[in-house]
């Protein structure tokens, strides 16, 4: 398990189980997407021949995972910070 994936899952896990739960669906979706992208990263690692193609595919997975996590955490922060109805 990579350090980035673990860090994201810890932060998102706290959002899933803490607070009043308004951001729970977004946090859960972000966590699932990060796990799927991490699994795709592993599939790329073990199915693509070593070389620039594999590095590009793995980099794309890692950057997409970081983007999904960043946007997911940002949306959760906006939802949690909004006034309650």
């Amino acid at each position: 398990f990579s350090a980035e994936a673990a860090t994201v899952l810890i932060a998102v896990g706290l959002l899933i189980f803490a607070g009043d739960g308004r951001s729970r669906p977004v946090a859960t979706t972000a966590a699932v997407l990060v796990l799927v992208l991490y699994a795709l990263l592993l599939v790329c690692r073990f199915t693509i021949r070593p070389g620039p193609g594999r590095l590009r595919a793995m980099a794309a997975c890692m950057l997409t995972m970081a983007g999904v996590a960043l946007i997911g955490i940002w949306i959760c922060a906006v939802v949690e910070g909004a006034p309650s109805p």
Side-chain angles (χ1 to χ4, degrees):
F1 216 56
S2 75
E4 180 187 67
T7 303
V8 167
L9 292 177
I10 289 169
V12 171
L14 289 173
L15 285 169
I16 291 172
F17 297 111
D20 59 2
R22 290 184 295 164
S23 65
R24 187 169 290 145
V26 176
T28 304
T29 303
V32 169
L33 285 174
V34 166
L35 286 175
V36 167
L37 287 166
Y38 187 73
L40 183 61
L41 178 96
L42 292 177
V43 167
C44 290
R45 167 133 169 56
F46 293 115
T47 59
I48 301 175
R49 289 191 331 244
R54 180 166 84 175
L55 291 176
R56 285 187 192 104
M58 290 175 67
C61 290
M62 189 68 84
L63 290 172
T64 305
M65 188 173 17
V68 165
L70 183 66
I71 291 169
I73 294 294
W74 179 73
I75 291 172
C76 287
V78 169
V79 168
E80 288 291 331
S84 297

